[in-house]
Amino acid sequence: SLNMGEARADRRMWKPGENRAHILETLFAGGRGYMYWAWNKSNIRIIAEVAETNGIVAEHEDLFLNGQNTERFWTEQPRTFATTLETGDAGLLLVSTYTGTKNTRIRVFKRPDKAMTLTEVYTGKTVELARNQQVFSLIVPSAQCRLWRWEK
């Protein structure tokens, strides 16, 4: 059960991207679904963010339902995380940061493997990774996440 937040309320100020992170972190942690409450304390921007993320989840349903957690990617910076779900055909990489700092560059490590193209699911931006490349950087604002997909 997740809370929509209370736009303009003193005790919980919603920031764009927070609900996206709540939903995706829940699913990558093994949740089989989610429920939101406090719609009456919401606003159209919050509802739009949840709706957009619901669409992304539906588009990648097979990976969320059948994907296995692997250790293909990881981070070593404190309070940053790289979580992976993979099937035989594709994978999703969720990179999250909860550092509370202005540093948005997250260094991600990759097991040496074949070359791959990561595609950011929300923007379509791509990152090309060479076959034996083991380190790369992604930009992720604090208290946010970015979701990347690759095909095998």
Side-chain angles (χ1 to χ4, degrees), residues 105-118:
R105 185 169 302 280
I106 306 303
R107 204 168 54 193
V108 180
F109 295 84
K110 172 179 104 46
R111 302 227 179 276
D113 199 359
K114 63 182 180 180
M116 61 174 36
T117 301
L118 296 177

Side-chain angles (χ1 to χ4, degrees), residues 24-37:
L24 295 175
E25 290 281 2
T26 296
L27 295 174
F28 271 81
R32 302 308 276 174
Y34 48 90
M35 181 196 76
Y36 265 98
W37 58 279

Side-chain angles (χ1 to χ4, degrees), residues 11 42-44 47 52 60 83 85 102 110 112-113 129:
R11 70 178 180 86
S42 186
N43 64 39
I44 194 67
I47 293 168
E52 177 186 39
H60 299 90
T83 313
L85 290 174
K102 293 183 181 185
K110 172 179 104 46
D113 199 359
L129 301 177

Side-chain angles (χ1 to χ4, degrees), residues 60-76:
H60 299 90
E61 182 178 30
D62 182 57
L63 281 159
F64 284 111
L65 291 176
N66 302 312
Q68 299 295 314
N69 285 105
T70 66
E71 296 181 356
R72 181 182 297 272
F73 299 96
W74 70 95
T75 63
E76 294 182 349

